[in-house]
Amino acid sequence: FLAELAPECRRARIKLVIYFNTFFDDNPEFAQWACTDQRGRPIPFSTFWPSNLLSMYSPYREKVLEQIRELFVDYDVDGIWLDVPRFPLMTYDRWSREEFRRRYGKEYAGASPEEREAFATASRNGWNKEVAAFVRKLKPSAVVTTNHWADPLSEGPLAAAGLAEPLDLFTAELHTSAI
């Protein structure tokens, strides 16, 4: 599809910005990289989309970067829209636990709620920075944008802090269960 669409967009002088699903997927190939709860069960992305939430620190991360590289190198797209980079406050997959231990020098199971929140925020923000830098090495003129969901009544605008820093455009979906 992109092999046909990309040249047509260039001929018509239409910028092609591609939607990219970041870390949630039900592809059985990726199930091994799911974030897990304390019992080892996959954590769903959300109640709205019950796909597995995949660990940003698992080998899936390299697969994602390779897919992004393919979009820019093989199809010469003009930009990417990263949909909802998400990291859970409680995950017990081995890759996330190893990264937490590396950063904080302690086990994830003993982390305070504030440390878990800081780790989740740093993980999301770091991912956006990494992708933006990666994309701009491939194509300096590329547009990089993301979407984040926030519950405006419980999180407020601070939920987006740092996510937008490396981006050209930031959008937010507003979801709440508090009404």
Side-chain angles (χ1 to χ4, degrees), residues 95-115:
W95 305 282
S96 299
R97 286 183 296 136
E98 288 169 8
E99 181 62 20
F100 185 88
R101 188 179 316 111
R102 186 187 71 73
R103 288 188 191 188
Y104 291 89
K106 65 192 252 185
E107 296 302 317
Y108 186 76
S112 69
E114 294 79 17
E115 288 169 324

Side-chain angles (χ1 to χ4, degrees), residues 154-173:
S154 65
E155 297 176 281
L158 293 179
L163 276 172
E165 179 188 334
L167 307 174
D168 299 301
L169 180 67
F170 177 77
T171 60
E173 292 179 34

Side-chain angles (χ1 to χ4, degrees), residues 109-146:
S112 69
E114 294 79 17
E115 288 169 324
R116 288 188 178 127
E117 178 67 37
F119 181 60
T121 299
S123 296
R124 289 188 311 261
N125 295 355
W127 171 250
N128 277 358
K129 288 177 183 176
E130 181 180 349
V131 170
F134 181 70
V135 164
R136 290 190 177 112
K137 281 184 182 175
L138 297 171
K139 187 170 188 174
S141 64
V143 171
V144 182
T145 183
T146 194

Side-chain angles (χ1 to χ4, degrees), residues 16-76:
L16 181 58
V17 177
I18 297 298
Y19 167 89
F20 193 86
N21 175 352
T22 49
F23 286 97
F24 53 102
D25 204 307
D26 275 336
N27 183 331
E29 175 188 352
F30 306 147
Q32 62 188 322
W33 299 317
C35 292
T36 56
D37 64 18
Q38 286 178 302
R39 294 186 178 135
R41 295 179 300 204
I43 296 172
F45 171 72
S46 76
T47 55
F48 302 110
W49 298 279
S51 299
N52 289 340
L53 183 58
L54 301 172
S55 176
M56 290 182 172
Y57 299 106
S58 73
Y60 182 69
R61 185 183 198 107
E62 290 306 314
K63 184 171 270 303
V64 168
L65 291 172
E66 178 53 31
Q67 291 172 341
I68 291 171
R69 186 210 61 77
E70 180 183 338
L71 290 169
F72 283 91
V73 172
D74 296 355
Y75 301 104
D76 193 28

